[in-house]
Amino acid sequence: YLWWSFIMFIAGGILALAMRAELLMPGLQLWYPETYNQFITMHGLVMIFGALMPALTGFANWQIPMMIGAPDMAFGRMNNWSFWLLPAAGVLLFSAFLVPGGAPQTGWTIYPPLAVQQGISMDLIIFAIHIMGISSIMGAINIVTTIINMRAPGMSLMKMPLFVWGWLITGFLLISVMPVLAGAVTMLLTDRHFGTSFFNSPGGGDPIMFQHIFWFFGHPEVYILILPAFGIISQVIPAFSRKPLFGYSSMVYALAAIAVLS
């Protein structure tokens, strides 16, 4: 997980560098506007689904069993599958650059009606999001099951390290919101190819509905990315300042409250 996220981080960083090089001076420097928009879209998708989420899952796989005294994660084969879906999705994601018309020019939020009008690369992106979503859901189920069922004797929930708490809460968030994103991109796919009108105004649909469904995923997503990081900070700073964490239970309730509100 960590090596994969590092590779994706470099790839997303190269896309960011390409964008920054274009912005160095006014006027056109290196890329046509269409190419620049493709870079923006792919940078967002690669960084969120390819770099950040697998990195946090990698830390969870590595640290959580050690922190709760478990021999390993609960579901070994499911863990293996949820990892190997990521390179497959990564190949799909980057192949969007190679098809006619290039990658989508929608931004990572893939809003209709623009997303409905894109070329075949949009379908590749939709399938890549599906596959990465399946990976995230399976990883989250694995982590939640491990934390709830495999703690060492005497390790109650309120004795768990905060990184474990951060991931427990994140796991429930992922299980709640990733299927909603899958539904949104599936409706987008059927709008594009099967004559439905979920987001198509002339057919009685509403493009704004996509935003409602997407941000039901998108806003919790920012907490999915930050809560495990909060947990890491809450482990590292007490360890290196050699002081116990102040207000452990308050922190646990705060993390949970963030998730519920999001």
Side-chain angles (χ1 to χ4, degrees), residues 215-238:
W215 287 106
F216 188 91
F217 146 82
H219 191 73
E221 171 68 10
V222 299
Y223 298 107
I224 287 163
L225 300 176
I226 201 69
L227 287 174
F230 283 167
I232 291 171
I233 292 164
S234 302
Q235 299 299 128
V236 170
I237 291 178

Side-chain angles (χ1 to χ4, degrees), residues 11 30 44 58 61 101 131 143-144 168 183 194 196 220 230 251 259-260 262:
L30 302 167
N61 270 285
I131 294 169
I143 288 162
V144 168
L168 180 63
F194 301 108
T196 58
F230 283 167
M251 189 70 179
V260 170
S262 85

Side-chain angles (χ1 to χ4, degrees), residues 25-213:
M25 289 181 286
L28 284 177
Q29 314 302 323
L30 302 167
W31 322 111
Y32 290 116
E34 303 78 49
T35 313
Y36 183 86
N37 290 344
Q38 292 176 25
F39 288 168
I40 285 183
T41 305
M42 296 299 287
H43 165 77
L45 290 166
V46 165
M47 283 302 202
I48 289 168
F49 294 109
L52 278 167
M53 292 168 83
L56 296 169
T57 314
F59 280 119
N61 270 285
W62 174 25
Q63 295 290 335
I64 286 175
M66 292 197 288
M67 286 180 165
I68 63 172
D72 201 348
M73 300 296 284
F75 304 117
R77 284 166 187 257
M78 188 162 87
N79 214 354
N80 194 24
W81 191 29
S82 69
F83 168 73
W84 282 109
L85 285 174
L86 290 173
V91 169
L92 268 180
L93 203 58
F94 278 102
S95 62
F97 278 122
L98 306 176
V99 296
Q105 302 172 44
T106 56
W108 80 276
T109 50
I110 55 176
Y111 281 173
L114 195 56
V116 178
Q117 298 157 5
Q118 299 292 304
I120 191 174
S121 61
M122 193 71 230
D123 304 315
L124 296 172
I125 297 293
I126 287 170
F127 286 129
I129 289 173
H130 267 135
I131 294 169
M132 289 184 285
I134 294 167
S135 167
S136 292
I137 292 167
M138 290 199 301
I141 290 170
N142 202 357
I143 288 162
V144 168
T145 308
T146 305
I147 294 169
I148 289 175
N149 292 324
M150 296 179 67
R151 300 192 306 280
M155 162 97 40
S156 68
L157 285 175
M158 291 310 279
K159 286 182 181 168
M160 296 193 310
L162 269 169
F163 176 67
V164 182
W165 261 115
W167 246 114
L168 180 63
I169 293 162
T170 302
F172 282 113
L173 269 182
L174 274 169
I175 294 163
S176 310
V177 304
M178 292 310 288
V180 180
L181 176 67
V185 295
T186 304
M187 286 191 263
L188 202 56
L189 190 72
T190 59
D191 270 16
R192 283 170 56 79
H193 294 295
F194 301 108
T196 58
S197 292
F198 291 111
F199 311 127
N200 181 20
S201 301
D206 183 2
I208 303 297
M209 182 173 80
F210 180 88
Q211 298 182 25
H212 290 310
I213 302 171

